Amino acid sequence: MTKSSQGGSGGPAARRTSGWVRALGVGCGFVAFGGLCVLGLSTRMLLAQADDATSACTGFLGDLRDDDYASALRRMDADYQSDFDATHLQTEVARISALADHEGAVVTSVERHDDDRATVEGSLYGTSFGEAIVACELTEREGYWYIDLVVVD
C-alpha cells in the first residue's frame, strides 16, 4: 500500500481553507494593526496630558476662556508681567479671535527642549471659527511653568 491510499497526509489538497476563513484572518490583522496605531497615538496624548507644562498651558487657556486676565497674567513670564498689566493682556488676546473666543482646548503633544523649556501644542475649538492650532512655549522657574509665547494658526 502506498502512503496516499492509507489516508496519510494528502498534501496541499487536504489543507485547503475556505475563502471566508482567510478573509476573517486578514480582517482581524487589519483590526489589530489599527488598534495598535490608535494606542500609539493615544499614548502620546495621554502622556502630554500628564505633563506639568501642559497643565500650565491649559490653565492659561482656561483663564482666557473665563476672562480671568489677572490670573492669566500671573502665568506669563516675569518680563511680560513686569512690563504689562492684565488690561494690556486682554487687549492683545482680543486681537486673536480664536484665542479670545475659544470654547475648549485639547493638547496633543508636549516637547521638552531641556529640563526647563517646553513646547505644548494642541487645538482650540469655537463655534465662530471651528478649529485653530495653538502652541505655547514655556519656561520652568523655581518649580513653576510660565508662558513665554503663544502662537495661534
Side-chain angles (χ1 to χ4, degrees), residues 28-114:
C28 288
F30 280 127
V31 169
F33 177 73
L36 288 174
C37 289
V38 168
L39 179 65
L41 293 173
S42 63
T43 299
R44 182 176 176 178
M45 284 181 65
L46 290 173
L47 290 174
Q49 298 300 321
D51 194 271
D52 290 339
T54 298
S55 296
C57 180
T58 57
F60 175 77
L61 295 172
D63 289 342
L64 297 182
R65 188 171 48 252
D66 295 339
D67 295 327
D68 188 355
Y69 294 98
S71 181
L73 180 65
R74 288 190 295 272
R75 295 178 188 272
M76 299 294 293
D77 73 350
D79 290 338
Y80 192 92
Q81 289 184 44
S82 65
D83 293 341
F84 302 106
D85 62 6
T87 303
H88 179 81
L89 176 61
Q90 183 176 5
T91 302
E92 293 300 312
V93 168
R95 293 181 184 181
I96 306 169
S97 63
L99 200 55
D101 299 333
H102 78 279
E103 298 162 7
V106 174
V107 171
T108 55
S109 68
V110 61
E111 181 180 345
R112 294 293 182 110
H113 303 290
D114 286 321

